Amino acid sequence: MIPETDLIYIPAPMLHDGFSTLREGVAALRYPYNYIENIVRQNVRYRDYERLHGARAVVNLLIGEAPQIGVDTIQVNRAVAYLKSNPIADYDIQCLPVDKAFTICGHIFADFAELRNCVELTGGARPDPIYGYHSTPLMHDDIDGLHVGMLCEAYPRFDEFDDCDNRTYQNYMFSDKPITQSMLKAFASLPQSSNYCKITEKIPADRLPLVYYVGDYNFIQIATAKEFTARVE
């Protein structure tokens, strides 16, 4: 369940919380036009508007609310083209700060840290070339009737200085049954976007909800069926 609030969230590494207006949020960005697609596709209010009125209309809405986001017309047109070429799904996707509460399958997580502590089985992005696909059980906090699995992929390593970088891209799945290796393997087969993100516009209905964390931002993404979005005052 995504908490529907009156705040606008922009998933940028330098930001920490939501904004009451888009103009306020965009003013905090150095290159705001680079975030057009994410603002649209990771805020329920703009996703709803795009479904009703289309890609060009929702981008024009953003420019109307925060004119500085439209100063680079080339980037604006690229954003519109991207949105048109990736049709929006009928479920909700919302980015939220890692310290904000959210509900998944009836369980209220106080924050993202609580979710991470509930992971019972984790697996990699792809099979090992020698040993095949494998998974690792973890010590975890139990939740009655809800089980959590995680897929992760390490950040790219370009030289020896990256060897101490232990950050990972993380995708979380949920089930009413204990997580198995075959479940994680099936999860790994879902389409993905950049940074090993399984939250796309092509998630099968039976795979919802999902949670994604890029590894070092202050935000997570939550994808859930439309009927499970609830207003939180």
Side-chain angles (χ1 to χ4, degrees):
M1 183 178 292
I2 297 173
E4 182 187 339
T5 74
D6 293 325
L7 296 178
I8 297 168
Y9 296 101
I10 303 175
M14 71 289 294
L15 302 182
H16 298 270
D17 209 341
F19 298 91
S20 57
T21 68
L22 183 61
R23 184 188 292 266
E24 180 187 3
V26 165
L29 301 172
R30 187 173 183 183
Y31 303 109
Y33 42 78
N34 289 337
Y35 293 89
I36 293 174
E37 301 99 305
N38 286 340
I39 293 171
V40 172
R41 292 293 173 87
Q42 295 185 40
N43 283 276
V44 170
R45 66 168 70 186
Y46 296 125
R47 290 179 65 86
D48 290 346
Y49 193 92
E50 183 189 355
R51 283 194 205 93
L52 289 174
H53 304 288
R56 175 63 69 176
V58 74
V59 172
N60 287 342
L61 176 66
L62 265 60
I63 295 172
E65 294 182 2
Q68 60 268 49
I69 209 170
V71 296
D72 189 323
T73 56
I74 293 177
Q75 294 296 332
V76 168
N77 289 333
R78 285 177 178 170
V80 172
Y82 172 85
L83 295 174
K84 287 182 175 179
S85 65
N86 293 272
I88 191 167
D90 61 0
Y91 44 81
D92 284 337
I93 298 175
Q94 178 69 53
C95 66
L96 288 174
V98 294
D99 59 355
K100 188 175 182 65
F102 57 94
T103 303
I104 295 288
C105 301
H107 178 80
I108 299 175
F109 291 93
D111 51 25
F112 175 56
E114 181 185 347
L115 171 62
R116 296 176 74 166
N117 289 336
C118 296
V119 174
E120 61 190 59
L121 194 67
T122 183
R126 54 187 58 85
D128 183 276
I130 297 176
Y131 300 105
Y133 192 86
H134 65 281
S135 55
T136 305
L138 301 177
M139 297 291 292
H140 62 279
D141 297 334
D142 288 323
I143 305 173
D144 288 342
L146 183 63
H147 302 270
V148 183
M150 180 183 72
L151 286 177
C152 61
E153 181 175 67
Y155 269 46
R157 285 169 167 76
F158 300 103
D159 53 42
E160 65 273 14
F161 297 104
D162 293 326
D163 290 342
C164 59
D165 188 346
N166 60 0
R167 293 174 298 173
T168 58
Y169 307 116
Q170 302 163 23
N171 293 276
Y172 296 82
M173 62 165 291
F174 305 87
S175 175
D176 58 358
K177 301 178 178 62
I179 304 297
T180 65
Q181 180 168 293
S182 62
M183 287 180 179
L184 288 180
K185 188 174 181 180
F187 186 21
S189 70
L190 291 181
Q192 65 199 48
S193 59
S194 59
N195 296 334
Y196 195 55
C197 179
K198 294 293 185 180
I199 293 186
T200 68
E201 302 296 337
K202 299 179 180 179
I203 306 172
D206 62 350
R207 296 291 184 178
L208 294 170
L210 299 178
V211 171
Y212 172 76
Y213 179 56
V214 74
D216 63 354
Y217 284 19
N218 298 304
F219 295 91
I220 58 174
Q221 290 183 52
I222 303 175
T224 189
K226 191 74 183 164
E227 61 267 27
F228 292 113
T229 298
R231 174 164 290 282
V232 174
E233 301 297 341

